[in-house]
Amino acid sequence: MANKYVYLFGTRKSEGDKEMRNLLGGKGANLAEMARLGLPVPAGFTLTTEVCTHYYDNKKTYPRELSAQVDKAIGEVEKKMGAKFGDPKNPLLLSVRSGARVSMPGMMETVLNLGLNDEIVAGLIKKSGDERFCYDVYRRFVQMYGDVVMGLRPKDKEIDPFEHLLEKKKEKHGVEIDSDLPATALKELVAEFKTVIKKRLKRSFPEDPKEQLYGSIGAVFSSWQGDRAIRYREIESIPHNWGTAVNVQSMVYGNMGENCATGVAFTRDPSTGQNKLYGEFLVNAQGEDVVAGIRTPEPIIKMKRILPKAYADFVKVCGQLEKHYKDMQDMEFTIQQSRLWMLQTRSGKRTAAAAVKIAVDMASERLITRKEAIQRVNPSDLDQLLHPTFDAPASPGAASGKVVFSAEEAEAQAAKGEPVILVRIETSPEDIGGMHAAQGILTARGGMTSHAAVVARGMGKCCVAGCGDVVIDYDKNMFKAGSKTVKKGDWISIDGSSGEVMLGQTPTKEAKFSKEFGTLMKWADQTRKLKVRTNADTPHDSDVARRFGAEGIGLCRTEHMFFEGDRILAVREMILADDEKGRKKALAKLKPIQRKDFEGIFKAMDGLPVTIRLLDPPLHEFVPHEAAQQKEMAKQLKLPVAVIKAKVNALHEFNPMLGHRGCRLGITYPEIYQMQVEAIFEASINARKKKIKALPEIMIPLVGTTRELEDLKAMIDRVAKEISAKKKTKLSYQVGTMIEIPRAALIADQIAESAQFFSFGTNDLTQLTFGYSRDDSGTFLPEYVDKGILAEDPFQSLDQEGVGQLVRLGTERGRSTRKNLKVGICGEHGGDPASVHFCHQVGLNYVSCSPYRVPIARLAAAQAALVK
Ligand code: ADP
Ligand code: MG
Ligand code: MG
């Protein structure tokens, strides 16, 4: 059998339907489906995407069978419409429309009113009895064909030659809009258009309808490779080899008079989700007029009064379509002499807020199930709903404040109640306090996974990282962006989602959760198997996370507590001490502060588990590297600068990430970990006195051998015993480890003998498995992703193929020696939906992510549980 390249819109089995979007494109498949449902669709047919691929594979020629199949299909359309293509006595006019698998709005071409020449227009006048209308259609056709098919387009800055002639004509007749031009004027325009085509292109406008048809089909196929379409596919990751289908459809006319119209509408409000018809229309107009912006369309509700019958029909069709597609629809329609025609339908794009409301409403209306509702919302999109927003529509995650250039300044200003934006060339862990205090952070260097961006995301702070246009001069306390200069204290506003930096102040408001958001989250919680915890180091972050539904803390990084306020002094004193005695003296100052921190966190997480990681980073991160700050530190500690310099030099490491850090610190300076453990136990006893239930889980970082864990666990148990005896009370706690060194994953069975829980530290595990230093990966990773060497940045989405194997294997081996081993992950990946899916599959107990990602992880975990 010959290949089938042409499908009619119709009710027969052999014709198309909505499942055939790969072959017929989205528009064609849905037109066929609407015809199948018996909705009013102008007769027509689709040339498949295979014709397009054939066209490009064969030097822009068509398959041999095509022409006969097109002739036959036109015959069918003629029968249905009672008119003939190219017949002057009873002409049929057609539209030729693009339509890819996924909609590429406005990226490809459409030709309307095709099949006209001077002889045929005369016949059309006789048939319709409306000369003005016929010349309006003819004028539109020549203009569109000249532009789209023949390529007569204005060059830079030049005015469109057709629009120029049209304007002149309107001026001459003293009318504002083209529908007021008389028939004679339109007739003259047709001739003038043809002349300008001939003059500029040295080719004549084709009078033969068949030639017009194939010219238009070729133009649509060619538009698949137009600059616009290519760029759009690049941005949206649409494969270039899909090709577009072509829809040929008989014309219906919204421009036949005051009882005609054309419009676009959504079955629900795409920005709020409200269940209310939303759209626009224009009386006496054709499709392209709505977008052209010459006339302002009217809100759809006005149609109820102007064209009541058609409006009622349309509302009915909207209901039918929603019921059938079980989703909000985006539709195009035309009304010809009070009669409704449907020209397109598709699932409508919507904001995150609308997606949530529509999903929950549709489940309540029993249009979809709760499970389907959970699957309707893209977890990552929830991000839009969780951060403070500019007090204007559609700008999530934004902040305004006065510019400061140092972390100390940020803290000082914030303490006075001033909102500030911290502007840095790049940020380091030392800046953490300032970042916390600031409303937002702007950096000149770094990217999505840069320290600033990661930390900011964790705090729910707005951050624009790696803004290359910003040139900062710390000495002069100013930065330049293009021709603008911004000084310390000036107001700026930054938008973390778009990366925009604006001068001045834009008011923001806290994100408010809708009722529907709460409902969807409740359904998600009832569905998911994975628990969701949070990474939080302060009572404030813990509170936020709990409000977002966190079921405990999966990672409390104790080093962040070391930086705040005056504590850094005690930390530095400890580092500078020559011996254990000196270190212990300094640690004694730190202990009550840590204890207080833990008490605050236990209070916020009352009754929920709190995983506390003992000190992890290399000590050099706590000492200043710049001369000025070293001098300051010397003054504070009453020591010679040379001593400070010598210590800083001694702490220098070639690969600090692989150096003296994690449990290696605990092994070599046991007094540090011991102080932290005492603070944890004392805090949990104090909490109990206040009727707060503390459930500490002490986590040892960077374990690679069994002895590291055994020795440190023995120390922890000993401290627990001593404190228990001294305070005459029992202590409940667990001791576990991070699995972040590949070796630890490999010997997980042995490690699990002394670990009560595992937490995969997937940041370090990724770093060590790939051998990529995360902080240095900015120089090559983006290019790796661009070139497709890596599908994604493995620090953003867990590399399931490689790193994932270690997670799977580590979990299996660990549980082989300790059956009820609790396993979670706590890297950046804990809030990434694809990684959450993976964690569910592997059978982890929980994921832990930054507070603002908790709802995203809850929804993603529910979706993972629904995959069969
Ligand atoms: P796009 O994909 O850019 O939206 P379409 O193929 O949908 O392009 O065509 C644009 C507009 O042209 C439609 O919204 C409609 O108003 C008009 N149109 C297309 N086909 C017809 C037709 N057969 N009769 C009347 N108007 C049509
Ligand atoms: Mg359209
Ligand atoms: Mg780590």
Side-chain angles (χ1 to χ4, degrees), residues 23 27 86 100 151 164 206 229 241 334 380-381 411 423 440 448 454 493 501 527 595 620 668 678 680 754 842:
L23 194 60
K27 198 183 288 167
H164 176 67
N241 63 359
T334 282
S380 306
D381 290 350
E411 282 182 276
V423 180
M448 272 285 286
V454 170
S493 300
V501 180
T527 308
R595 188 169 59 217
H620 80 87
T668 49
E678 285 169 9
I680 293 169
S754 35
V842 175

Side-chain angles (χ1 to χ4, degrees), residues 27 42-43 93-99 104-113 144 247 249-254 262-264 286-288 290 332-334 343-344 346:
K27 198 183 288 167
L93 303 192
L94 298 172
S95 72
V96 171
R97 318 170 62 189
S98 59
M104 296 171 48
M107 296 299 134
M108 289 182 290
E109 303 293 5
T110 299
V111 181
L112 303 180
N113 310 305
M144 211 175 212
N247 301 290
Q249 189 174 33
S250 56
M251 285 298 300
V252 287
Y253 304 99
T262 189
V264 179
Q286 256 192 351
E288 70 274 17
V290 179
E332 294 171 10
F333 64 91
T334 282
L343 294 176
Q344 194 171 330
R346 63 181 167 216

